[in-house]
Amino acid sequence: MKNTLLATAALLTLFASPAIAQTANSAPIAPQLSDATPRPVDQPYPGTMTLDVDATDVARGIFRVKQTVPVAQAGPLTLLYPEWLPGKHGPRGAIDQLAGLKISAGGKPVAWTRDPLDVYAFRVDVPRGAAALDIEFQFLSPVAPDEGRIVVTPEMMNVQWEQVSLYPAGYYTRQIRVKPTITLPQGWTGATALDGASGKTGTIRYGETSYETLVDSPMFAGAHFRNWDLGQNVTLNVVADEAKNLEATPEIIDAHKRLVDEAVAVFGSRHFDHYEFLLALTDQLGGIGLEHHRSSENSRAPDYFTGWEDNEWERGLLPHEMTHSWNGKFRRPAGLWTPDFRTPMQDNLLWVYEGQTSFWDIILGVRSGLQSKEIALGEWARAAAKYANQPGRDWRSVEDTTFDPIMSARRPKPFPSWERSEDYYVEGSLIWLEADMIIRERTEGARSMNDFARAFFGINDGDWGEVTYTFDDIVAGLNAVAPYEWADFLTARLRTPGQPAPIAGFEQGGYTLVYREEPNPFDAAIEKEGGLDLSYSLGMSLSDDGNVNGVMWNGPAFKQDIVEGTKILSVNGREYSKDRMKDAITTTKESGEIELIVERGGRYRTIDFDYKGGLRYPHLEKTVDGEAPLDRLLMPLAR
């Protein structure tokens, strides 16, 4: 018995010893992952797809899709749902809204499986003897804003063909042919850049086109529709929540005609056989501002026409999108052009694609008369002040913000002044303004960005294909207009953080950034719409009811632990209002004190601001007598 106990004790000691306790844990070895989806080749896909979309279920926002994909042989085939979408600069395909997918061949079901490495890819085994795959599914568009963008209302819809179709993997999308058909609700009229339409109402059949062109040709359709010929094979197509929203005066339409003339005058060519402005005047449909080669895809407030005198500040959208027909669609960064909608995009030259387009949208707005010079100067002042005060520029370059569409997808950020967002649009435009002034100075006013636009984007008149470019191409194009250290200039301004405030273009153009107690015309119009921007005084912005919706990093509000979601309840002992807040800031120039009671998450506290700077709104102030270079930049070109 004693020997047995001793043996047992020895075994227990052995199993409890440190050497045994440290035996290695289980450790799998990762397999080598492989992508079974064939890479796209530039060869014609055998046969022509058909696509039939029933868009009549307006009440539930359901698109019912029937599609036929011809097949040349039995065996594995991958069907793709578009993921990387041009103009959205990221993987935004609405795969989560596809439902009810069924595939058959010759009337018999064909099983499908989703690729676990690519949820946009569906794998099927084409049965022997099959000539085509018949596909059915529904696209369940959002019916509430928290589900996504609303694309169907009782009065209108926005049809994006990539949401209601699949395509076979392994081919350039320009080599895949398709015949689309759509059935609209009774009495509705549709507009799109697609060719060969059998009509504009009811069931509309379009001519055969490439899948690339189909996806680049969205539709607006609605019960209240009107269009206008703007000349140069350009049409303004408008749907609205109510028929009264379509009442545009001849003067308003003339301004849009001048926009077309001024755009063609800048670029000296047309990269479209026809161009369709697609514009929805609505507060029901989800907002959109998207470019296409032969159309726009835009929405504005219902009173875009009827409240014309009050909405001048927001008329830059159509100039922006039309400019993209040249810059972004015809001439496109090499990394942003992709052969299909699965290949990832490389966004690092968006400061050309979007930045220079943002430069031109203000200029074309003024040249056409869509916007006044005063509104343009106010918008520029707002931009100059933002980047002159943005602390995030110390650590993050403009070019690095081009990756935000992929990383952030425009989700809200707690401290955007430090994190930065898609600043390649507006700060990019200010760098192009500086480039314009450098060209004017070096050529003694003989040349400008007008010359670069015509030489770089205006090539191959009538061509609506794509011509790609690289950083080196941009540098060469600028040097052809005016020799300079352009590579160093662009590298410093756009690829290097910690740069000086991007206001050199204004200073060389005869203006300087100053701050005044009254808002400039652009800021005044925005403030009239709602809210209060105190970014350059207390370092925060507010809604009309006192909710904080923006805080400047390391500014006065930041230092008082105010963040988004805080609500200001009272100002100096009285209930919050926009006017009381402005009055309080104005009087601080003498008293230096503002007392706020704020609430966040059910907790209340009193904040005492020690601030004596008064209200501060940005303005551009002219520094020269007579006509300045910036004034000349805004002069019309078309005669």
Side-chain angles (χ1 to χ4, degrees):
M1 180 67 176
K2 182 178 180 181
N3 290 338
T4 302
L5 290 173
L6 289 172
T8 301
L11 286 172
L12 290 173
T13 302
L14 177 64
F15 283 114
S17 67
I20 297 299
Q22 293 175 8
T23 299
N25 293 323
S26 300
I29 300 298
Q32 181 66 45
L33 300 178
S34 61
D35 184 1
T37 301
R39 293 184 178 181
V41 296
D42 193 14
Q43 297 176 2
Y45 181 78
T48 299
M49 301 191 301
T50 62
L51 177 65
D52 191 338
V53 179
D54 181 348
T56 59
D57 194 346
V58 172
R60 290 168 291 204
I62 299 174
F63 295 87
R64 292 177 168 82
V65 179
K66 293 183 178 180
Q67 183 175 356
T68 299
V69 177
V71 292
Q73 61 186 23
L77 177 70
T78 299
L79 297 170
L80 298 173
Y81 189 80
E83 178 183 8
W84 288 81
L85 302 174
K88 297 184 179 180
H89 313 316
R92 305 286 182 85
I95 187 67
D96 57 313
Q97 293 163 20
L98 180 152
L101 178 63
K102 294 182 178 180
I103 302 176
S104 63
K108 297 180 179 180
V110 175
W112 59 266
T113 57
R114 196 187 302 262
D115 188 335
L117 295 178
D118 182 0
V119 297
Y120 289 80
F122 301 94
R123 305 206 179 283
V124 299
D125 192 10
V126 177
R128 195 163 287 165
L133 295 179
D134 297 313
I135 302 168
E136 294 186 21
F137 65 89
Q138 302 84 44
F139 179 74
L140 309 181
S141 72
V143 295
D146 62 356
E147 298 170 353
R149 176 174 170 261
I150 303 294
V151 299
V152 179
T153 77
E155 288 76 35
M156 67 177 67
M157 67 176 59
N158 179 192
V159 181
Q160 297 179 316
W161 301 101
E162 70 270 14
Q163 296 179 336
V164 293
S165 60
L166 301 173
Y167 69 99
Y171 295 83
Y172 282 27
T173 51
R174 69 188 180 203
Q175 295 279 22
I176 301 171
R177 306 297 291 175
V178 58
K179 286 184 177 181
T181 298
I182 189 168
T183 301
L184 299 177
Q186 186 174 4
W188 285 30
T189 303
T192 174
L194 289 174
D195 296 316
S198 61
K200 291 188 175 181
T201 62
T203 297
I204 308 172
R205 296 174 177 82
Y206 295 97
E208 182 181 315
T209 189
S210 71
Y211 189 67
E212 178 184 61
T213 299
L214 176 73
V215 169
D216 196 40
S217 305
M219 168 185 277
F220 275 164
H224 311 296
F225 172 87
R226 191 174 177 184
N227 62 8
W228 291 266
D229 181 1
L230 301 183
Q232 311 251 22
N233 289 339
V234 178
T235 304
L236 176 60
N237 304 275
V238 187
V239 293
D241 287 341
E242 300 180 73
K244 66 180 183 180
N245 302 141
L246 297 171
E247 297 173 2
T249 66
E251 292 75 20
I252 292 174
I253 300 305
D254 285 345
H256 290 82
K257 290 179 179 179
R258 289 194 297 272
L259 166 61
V260 175
D261 292 341
E262 289 294 338
V264 173
V266 166
F267 297 107
S269 64
R270 290 180 297 181
H271 294 307
F272 49 81
D273 52 352
H274 62 94
Y275 187 92
E276 310 294 327
F277 279 114
L278 303 181
L279 179 62
L281 306 184
T282 177
D283 55 15
Q284 303 298 313
L285 196 78
I288 190 168
L290 198 58
E291 67 274 8
H292 302 280
H293 212 137
R294 299 190 299 163
S295 76
S296 71
E297 188 179 8
N298 306 129
S299 63
R300 294 282 78 174
D303 66 349
Y304 179 75
F305 290 147
T306 58
W308 188 252
E309 298 304 321
D310 297 322
N311 62 26
E312 184 184 354
W313 68 277
E314 60 177 352
R315 296 186 207 148
L317 181 59
L318 296 189
H320 184 95
E321 305 304 356
M322 188 172 197
T323 297
H324 272 314
S325 183
W326 290 270
N327 177 16
K329 302 307 290 186
F330 173 65
R331 297 243 40 191
R332 195 175 307 183
L336 270 170
W337 178 87
T338 56
D340 64 1
F341 305 122
R342 183 176 188 256
T343 304
M345 297 173 181
Q346 301 171 61
D347 287 357
N348 53 301
L349 286 182
L350 278 174
W351 48 265
V352 185
Y353 182 123
E354 295 289 5
Q356 192 169 144
T357 297
S358 297
F359 166 80
W360 286 115
D361 66 38
I362 292 179
I363 294 165
L364 291 175
V366 176
R367 289 179 180 178
S368 66
L370 281 172
Q371 294 179 297
S372 66
K373 178 181 176 181
E374 291 70 30
I375 284 287
L377 291 175
E379 185 174 359
W380 268 332
R382 183 182 178 90
K386 176 179 179 178
Y387 296 113
N389 292 277
Q390 188 190 69
R393 298 180 68 253
D394 288 342
W395 74 272
R396 193 175 184 197
S397 70
V398 176
E399 182 163 290
D400 194 64
T401 72
T402 65
F403 302 111
D404 258 44
I406 300 171
M407 299 189 304
S408 301
R410 296 189 175 174
R411 289 185 293 272
K413 297 185 175 186
F415 297 104
S417 65
W418 181 242
E419 298 164 278
R420 306 201 76 181
S421 186
E422 297 181 19
D423 292 326
Y424 55 86
Y425 277 91
V426 179
E427 186 170 351
S429 74
L430 300 187
I431 303 309
W432 288 112
L433 176 63
E434 184 180 357
D436 177 88
M437 294 303 154
I438 291 172
I439 293 171
R440 289 173 188 270
E441 181 181 18
R442 295 187 69 80
T443 64
E444 298 182 343
R447 291 187 173 186
S448 67
M449 284 299 294
N450 293 325
D451 299 278
F452 175 80
R454 180 177 286 257
F456 195 80
F457 298 111
I459 60 173
N460 303 354
D461 185 23
D463 181 355
W464 50 282
E466 298 98 12
V467 178
T468 62
Y469 60 82
T470 64
F471 179 86
D472 290 343
D473 294 327
I474 291 289
V475 170
L478 288 166
N479 274 317
V481 175
Y484 185 65
E485 298 82 10
W486 289 113
D488 294 341
F489 170 81
L490 296 175
T491 297
R493 295 291 191 274
L494 295 157
R495 293 178 160 179
T496 309
Q499 292 295 297
I503 58 176
F506 300 116
E507 294 172 343
Q508 295 172 42
Y511 286 78
T512 191
L513 175 65
V514 299
Y515 296 88
R516 299 174 183 160
E517 292 190 351
E518 295 298 323
N520 65 62
F522 187 83
D523 281 337
I526 293 177
E527 191 170 300
K528 185 178 178 181
E529 293 288 315
L532 180 61
D533 188 354
L534 305 174
S535 296
Y536 311 115
S537 54
L538 298 187
M540 61 182 172
S541 56
L542 308 169
S543 67
D544 279 344
D545 58 1
N547 282 304
V548 177
N549 51 34
V551 175
M552 182 72 74
W553 181 266
N554 214 28
F558 180 93
K559 292 176 180 177
Q560 293 284 358
D561 296 334
I562 292 176
V563 297
E564 289 189 41
T566 301
K567 183 169 185 177
I568 299 175
L569 302 177
S570 73
V571 183
N572 290 339
R574 302 192 66 187
E575 183 180 9
Y576 172 84
S577 73
K578 187 157 60 175
D579 288 340
R580 282 185 184 133
M581 177 62 90
K582 293 173 74 172
D583 289 344
I585 296 173
T586 299
T587 59
T588 59
K589 291 189 295 184
E590 299 175 1
S591 68
E593 295 180 357
I594 303 176
E595 182 187 84
L596 304 179
I597 295 178
V598 304
E599 178 272 332
R600 180 178 176 236
R603 297 180 181 273
Y604 298 79
R605 61 192 178 102
T606 300
I607 296 175
D608 293 316
F609 270 99
D610 182 12
Y611 174 76
K612 296 183 180 181
L615 291 167
R616 298 179 77 240
Y617 292 98
H619 290 257
L620 288 181
E621 187 175 88
K622 201 167 185 179
T623 57
V624 298
D625 295 328
E627 187 179 87
L630 194 63
D631 301 327
R632 290 190 285 275
L633 173 62
L634 296 172
M635 290 180 176
L637 289 184
R639 296 291 184 263

